[in-house]
Amino acid sequence: MANWRRSLANAFWAWDKSLGGQRRPTTIQKWVARHPIGTGLCVAVPATLVLLLLAREDEPRDPLFAVIFGLLLGLVYGLTAVSERLRQRRLKRLGIWNGS
């Protein structure tokens, strides 16, 4: 089982390297990695507000949809920020980037 996980991880990191995942992070990527909850909120709140503004008055489920969609969108962006944090931690561990 451990060999299967290790080979899957190696395949993922090879794919990441081919897409440029071993480059130094930009300023935005550093901020996002430091603030995953803030990143999720910065996306979720405006998306929810826009959908609430577009909600029809005669449909009672539209506000519920707006809130659920906003939460899911914030969750996706927050998890993406966490994965960026893990990528930066790996770059430090490999000695590619010193964390500054």
Side-chain angles (χ1 to χ4, degrees), residues 3-68:
N3 290 336
W4 178 78
R5 271 193 236 174
R6 177 71 356 223
S7 63
L8 186 62
N10 288 340
F12 173 77
W13 290 119
W15 177 63
D16 182 58
K17 183 179 180 180
S18 69
L19 294 175
Q22 290 192 346
R23 284 187 263 153
R24 293 175 48 112
T26 63
T27 305
I28 299 291
Q29 287 173 323
K30 291 177 197 175
W31 188 89
V32 164
R34 288 183 189 127
H35 309 288
I37 295 173
T39 301
L41 287 175
C42 285
V43 173
V45 171
T48 302
L49 291 176
V50 166
L51 288 175
L52 284 174
L53 287 174
L54 296 175
R56 298 169 291 188
E57 292 179 11
D58 57 340
E59 283 293 324
R61 287 192 231 154
D62 280 355
L64 180 64
F65 172 77
V67 171
I68 290 173

